[in-house]
Each structure stands twice: as structure tokens, then as C-alpha cells.
Amino acid sequence: MGKDKLSYQLKTPKGTKDWEGIDMVIRDQIFNTITSVFKRHGAVTIDTPVFELRQILSGKYGEDSKLIYDLADQGGELCSLRYDLTVPFARWLAMNPSIQSIKRYHIAKVYRRDQPAMTKGRMREFYQCDFDVAGAYDRMVPDAEIIRIVCEVFGKGGLVLDGIFEVCGVPKEKIRTISSAVDKLDKLPWEEVKKEMVEEKGLSEEVADKIWEFVQMRGARDILDTLRQDPRVTSNESLISGLQDMDLLFTYLEAFDVLPHVEFNLSLARGLDYYTGVIYEVVTEGSAPPSTTSTKKPPSTNHNHNPKPPRKEKSAPEFDEDRSNDPSVGVGSIAAGGRYDELVGMFSGKAQIPCVGISFGVDRIFSITKSRLNTTTSTLRPTEVDVYVMAFGGKGFTGLLKERMQVAKTLWDAGIKAEFSYKEKPKLGAQFKKAEESGIPFAVILGEEEVGRGEVRVKEMGLEEGHGEKDGVVVKMEGLVGEVRGRLERKRREREGGDGDGEGEVVDSMRELKVEDRERKTGDDGV
């Protein structure tokens, strides 16, 4: 290209971002935390292609199908980028009929052409961490374990019963589309949701008002008791069966000691077509959008003869506009899932394989976790290096590059994370600056005289002036590994007994996420 200027702007596509530095540290720790819980519960991992045949994805996502990224024909097959990890898992099960039961987890990127809000984790390319149980088991047992997994990761969850629409008189052919409307209650006031039901989707006002009676209910066993006293409920067989399942689920959640963290919420209605039973979403204080209650003030009664001209209403944002600064947009649900007993059967003419699962939205968890860490004094560092190997000397200093390499090799062989300068003759100040900027806790310092005696100096970084070991301690080369290991272990014990290290801060921030208990705050199907 020579000196010719670029004819295009260097940027990432809308709804995507590059990851680096501390952000990668936080995200990797979120991955590690979630994966460790998945493995604790006996899950194995699988992977699937990033794109699927278009016909595999079509007809599975209801109104959200418009968010699927379709690819151009590249060889006789019409394909689309995967929208989630659930449908590919069901396709995989259908292609492997010998597998009739499995606990699986999958961590991978998915793609949705949604309107982005980048700092709130609402992106077009993002990670999901899925845990699913497939197989015919006794009722509600795997469902209870799914909720237990949510609580082990970061705390609390919420539930819904879909069959309430039948009681209200919603025609069966409209249940999916009405569910999609109810799912907007986190973003719109009831008046607008009702208008969509009645004017756009042909539901009668009377039925819509009945739905409003139910979707305001939330609680736990008290909601079950209330519903059982309603003659409209007791006359509906499918709803009675659903309440029995919920009662059984609550019993199992008591055994898992997580029932106090669960809310039974009748307004929860996810828009995806493949759900067949209980569904759940996890929402935190940090992810909830502002209340949808109108806050408009009444008209002014000031009779000033020169009033200010009316302010123009802000035009609706462009579809591609990043809505990160829009106060009406929240992060949304940070985990969601449910039961999808018929999805595998859509791909196979053989017997159904019941499934239930949960999906954690890593990018949304990240946005809340990072926000929490930014409000505290964080000790996160960009690398996990424990030792920086450096050298110094006077006139005629050779840099001791080969010796530094040998020390680094010794530490690496012992499993200790170490680094050194690639410069042949690095300045001592530059070496200390690199170690300090990277938050490396220890330095191994080589001097020409010490090297001649087979010695090195081990120094803990950041000690105050006047500390007895401010200049480090001299150790024999053969004792270096033991000395460093001992100091790292003491440092680890100090962190555990004190404020914790950077990784611990991420885990603590995740597990301190507090779920909204009494207000419908769930987001879209972004997880």
C-alpha cells in the first residue's frame, strides 16, 4: 500500500469489541468461576459450528427470528450464524441417537442483530455459558439442580408458569405471540403492552385485563396457595398440573437450600418458541432497567405571556446506534433458561428427549462486575506473572541476558510464572517500571558479583521505606525455587485472610450480585 491512505475507517463492526488487558482478566475469571460450577455438577463439554444450516434455526425463536444473521450462499448451502447454543445442542442430540441422557456445558460466542448498548453488555457478538440436562428423569429433579447451579454461581433466580394464558382465555394459536408481548413488561408500561395485545394481536380487552390480574403476582408458596383458591385455576387441568410441578420444585429447592432465593413470577414470559414448561431468569440490582412507570409532569399552570417554545421530542434512535447512554435501557437478564421438551423432536422422528437448561450471559455479567470493581480499589493486574527477573551493574555492564534467561527457565520448570526484559542491556529503572505497571509481586535481581558467587536477590515489590527487606534478601541459586514458592504461599495466605486478590474480587463481585425480589425487571432474550 506504500504511503497511500486507507480508504476506510479502522473500527470493529457495530455491536462488537476487542478485548484486552484487565477486561480479559475479569472475563476469564468469570469463565473459570462458571466452568468450575458446571464441572462440580458432572457436566461434560461439547462444541458445535459457529454457523448452522438456515433451516435448523428457522421457526425456533418466534418474533426474535428477525435478529438472526443470515449468510450468503457459499457453496450450495444456506447458513446462518448461531443465535444461541440451545438449538445447536438439540440438533446434536438428534444426530446422536445413542445418547439418551447427558449433562453438557458449552461456552461459545453467539450472534444477534440486535440494537446494541455496549457498556451494558448488550452486544451483537457475545459469549454464552450453557448448562443443560437432557434425558427422561423424574419430574422437576433436574430443574431444581439447574436453579441450584445458578445460586452457586452468584446467588438468586426467578420463575414463571406459562399455562396461565389458557385460564385467561387466550386462544392456543395466540399463546406464543401473547407471551412475546408480556415479555416486554420490563421495558414498557402495562398500557402499551395491552395495546399491542389488543390492537396488533387481536386479543379482547377482557382477556388482556385478566392477564394483568395474574402477571402482577409474585412470591413463592404463597402464590401457589392463592392460585389454588381461584376457581378459574382449579377448573383448568393443565394449570393444576403445572402448580403441582411448582410445588414439587419448591420441595426440592428446600432440600438444596436455595428456596429463599427464588421468586415465582407470573409475568415472566420468554418469547422463544421452543420453551414448553417452567422458565427462569436472573436479574440483579445492576442489570435492572429503570421503572417503566410514567414520570411525566402535568402541564404547567404558569400564565407567562412569553413562554418558552415547547421542546422537541427526541427522535427515536437509529437501529445501529449504540444505546449505552440511554437511561431507559438496562443490562437485562444475566442468566435465563427453562424446559424445552419438544425441541429435539423437531429434528428427529424418534422419541422426544426432554431437556432443561440455563444460559449465563457472560458479557452482561462482565459489565456489572466491572462496574462494581470500578467503584472500589481493585488489585486486578493484567498478567498472572509472579516474578520479574532483572539485572543491574556498573560500568561495563553486559546485561546478563543469558543468566536472566537461565533463571527464568529454572522458574518456569518449577511451574512459577516469570518474565524478563528482551533487551540485552536493560536499564534498571525500566525493569522496575515494567514490574510495577504489571503488578508483579516479586523480583529476582541479578548482579555481576552475586552471579559470580552463585547467588541472586529476591525482592518483594511495594515494601515501604524502612522495611527490613526493602532491598530484598540474598539466596543461593539452588535455593531460589524454594524461597520463591514459600513467599508466594505466604502472600496467598495473606490475601485469603485480608482483602483478597484480584481474582477473588471478581468472584466476590459476581456472588454479591443481588437479585430484584419484588419487581418485574427482566430483560430480553439476550442470554
Side-chain angles (χ1 to χ4, degrees):
M1 289 171 44
K3 296 182 180 179
D4 294 340
K5 292 184 178 180
L6 293 174
S7 60
Y8 54 88
Q9 180 183 2
L10 283 176
K11 61 185 288 293
T12 60
K14 285 185 174 67
T16 68
K17 63 174 288 186
D18 294 321
W19 291 83
E20 48 82 29
I22 295 298
D23 286 359
M24 283 295 295
V25 174
I26 297 173
R27 194 181 74 174
D28 284 349
Q29 188 57 33
I30 293 172
F31 283 148
N32 292 339
T33 300
I34 295 174
T35 301
S36 66
V37 175
F38 290 169
K39 290 180 177 179
R40 187 184 307 147
H41 286 262
V44 298
T45 189
I46 69 167
D47 196 12
T48 62
V50 72
F51 52 90
E52 296 275 349
L53 294 177
R54 190 175 300 173
Q55 62 195 34
I56 296 294
L57 303 184
S58 63
K60 311 301 188 302
Y61 301 108
E63 295 181 3
D64 284 350
S65 293
K66 63 182 180 292
L67 303 181
I68 294 175
Y69 273 105
D70 289 331
L71 304 178
D73 185 349
Q74 294 292 329
E77 291 184 333
L78 296 177
C79 296
S80 302
L81 292 176
R82 62 188 173 202
Y83 177 93
D84 64 9
L85 302 179
T86 304
V87 171
F89 174 54
R91 188 265 305 156
W92 179 83
L93 282 172
M95 290 180 61
N96 293 272
S98 62
I99 299 175
Q100 292 296 302
S101 63
I102 186 175
K103 285 182 181 179
R104 92 67 161 102
Y105 76 90
H106 190 185
I107 298 177
K109 287 182 177 180
V110 299
Y111 300 85
R112 301 181 187 180
R113 194 175 182 273
D114 202 354
Q115 195 171 355
M118 297 296 291
T119 63
K120 297 174 182 178
R122 301 168 72 97
M123 305 169 68
R124 292 178 171 177
E125 177 191 65
F126 56 95
Y127 270 99
Q128 286 187 333
C129 296
D130 279 25
F131 181 100
D132 293 82
V133 180
Y137 298 100
D138 287 346
R139 290 186 309 157
M140 309 313 292
V141 176
D143 307 70
E145 185 171 8
I146 293 291
I147 296 173
R148 169 69 199 192
I149 286 169
V150 172
C151 292
E152 287 184 20
V153 171
F154 44 45
K156 306 181 180 183
L159 303 168
V160 69
L161 186 63
D162 193 35
I164 203 72
F165 295 123
E166 291 183 26
V167 171
C168 295
V170 178
K172 287 188 177 181
E173 67 273 12
K174 291 184 180 291
I175 285 181
R176 287 300 93 205
T177 184
I178 295 301
S179 292
S180 178
V182 171
D183 194 40
K184 298 174 183 177
L185 279 172
D186 64 318
K187 299 179 281 289
L188 300 173
W190 166 248
E191 290 74 17
E192 293 187 34
V193 173
K194 178 182 177 180
K195 182 178 179 181
E196 177 181 335
M197 289 179 175
V198 175
E199 297 184 8
E200 297 180 23
K201 299 182 175 178
L203 199 66
S204 71
E205 284 199 34
E206 181 183 0
V207 173
D209 290 337
K210 288 180 180 178
I211 291 175
W212 178 238
E213 289 181 43
F214 286 105
V215 296
Q216 297 179 83
M217 295 183 182
R218 60 208 63 202
R221 288 193 184 277
D222 55 327
I223 298 300
L224 296 183
D225 294 338
T226 300
L227 291 172
R228 284 170 175 154
Q229 295 171 12
D230 190 324
R232 295 171 297 176
V233 172
T234 55
S235 62
N236 184 279
E237 292 184 5
S238 63
L239 188 48
I240 287 296
S241 176
L243 294 180
Q244 290 172 348
D245 281 348
M246 292 304 301
D247 198 8
L248 189 60
L249 177 62
F250 288 161
T251 299
Y252 296 151
L253 295 178
E254 284 177 331
F256 283 149
D257 195 26
V258 295
L259 183 58
H261 309 314
V262 174
E263 178 185 82
F264 182 24
N265 187 330
L266 288 174
S267 69
L268 217 59
R270 292 173 65 76
L272 304 184
D273 280 358
Y274 54 67
Y275 285 114
T276 59
V278 63
I279 62 172
Y280 23 81
E281 291 189 354
V282 181
V283 182
T284 78
E285 289 177 333
S287 69
S291 172
T292 55
T293 303
S294 175
T295 57
K296 290 183 179 179
K297 295 181 180 180
S300 171
T301 56
N302 186 349
H303 296 287
N304 191 322
H305 292 289
N306 296 299
K308 293 181 179 180
R311 189 171 54 184
K312 288 185 178 180
E313 291 290 333
K314 186 177 179 181
S315 59
E318 294 292 330
F319 179 73
D320 282 339
E321 181 181 331
D322 182 3
R323 298 176 298 164
S324 293
N325 296 322
D326 186 343
S328 68
V329 177
V331 173
S333 56
I334 57 176
R339 178 159 287 281
Y340 51 102
D341 291 341
E342 300 174 4
L343 185 56
V344 177
M346 293 184 182
F347 303 121
S348 172
K350 298 184 179 180
Q352 296 280 1
I353 301 179
C355 297
V356 62
I358 185 74
S359 179
F360 294 86
V362 172
D363 299 274
R364 296 185 177 190
I365 296 172
F366 166 86
S367 67
I368 299 171
T369 301
K370 184 177 180 181
S371 176
R372 293 175 63 92
L373 291 174
N374 285 344
T375 62
T376 63
T377 303
S378 175
T379 59
L380 284 173
R381 50 197 184 100
T383 76
E384 296 183 9
V385 173
D386 292 318
V387 178
Y388 196 90
V389 181
M390 58 182 71
F392 74 99
K395 188 176 181 180
F397 175 55
T398 64
L400 299 173
L401 178 57
K402 183 178 179 181
E403 290 79 2
R404 285 185 284 130
M405 287 178 163
Q406 290 172 335
V407 171
K409 179 261 184 191
T410 298
L411 296 172
W412 293 335
D413 287 348
I416 296 171
K417 301 164 187 171
E419 194 177 8
F420 64 95
S421 172
Y422 286 175
K423 285 186 174 294
E424 184 177 1
K425 296 180 181 179
K427 295 182 179 179
L428 186 61
Q431 294 174 90
F432 270 110
K433 182 179 179 181
K434 169 65 175 178
E436 290 168 354
E437 288 178 346
S438 300
I440 298 173
F442 292 100
V444 171
I445 306 172
L446 284 66
E448 291 177 327
E449 293 183 6
E450 287 87 347
V451 169
R453 297 193 299 266
E455 297 174 340
V456 294
R457 187 177 296 271
V458 178
K459 171 179 170 58
E460 181 174 352
M461 303 291 290
L463 294 180
E464 298 177 354
E465 291 293 337
H467 192 283
E469 294 186 357
K470 175 67 176 176
D471 296 326
V473 295
V474 176
V475 299
K476 290 289 186 182
M477 267 300 303
E478 56 267 27
L480 174 62
V481 168
E483 180 70 22
V484 171
R485 279 179 173 165
R487 288 179 175 270
L488 288 173
E489 178 61 22
R490 287 195 292 275
K491 196 80 170 175
R492 183 189 66 80
R493 289 199 297 266
E494 289 174 5
R495 288 196 300 259
E496 291 178 351
D499 295 331
D501 60 357
E503 290 185 0
E505 291 177 34
V506 174
V507 175
D508 290 344
S509 293
M510 287 178 62
R511 291 180 175 169
E512 288 173 6
L513 297 182
K514 183 180 179 184
V515 168
E516 295 286 341
D517 290 330
R518 291 289 176 255
E519 196 166 348
R520 167 69 163 114
K521 294 280 190 176
T522 52
D524 55 17
D525 290 314
V527 294

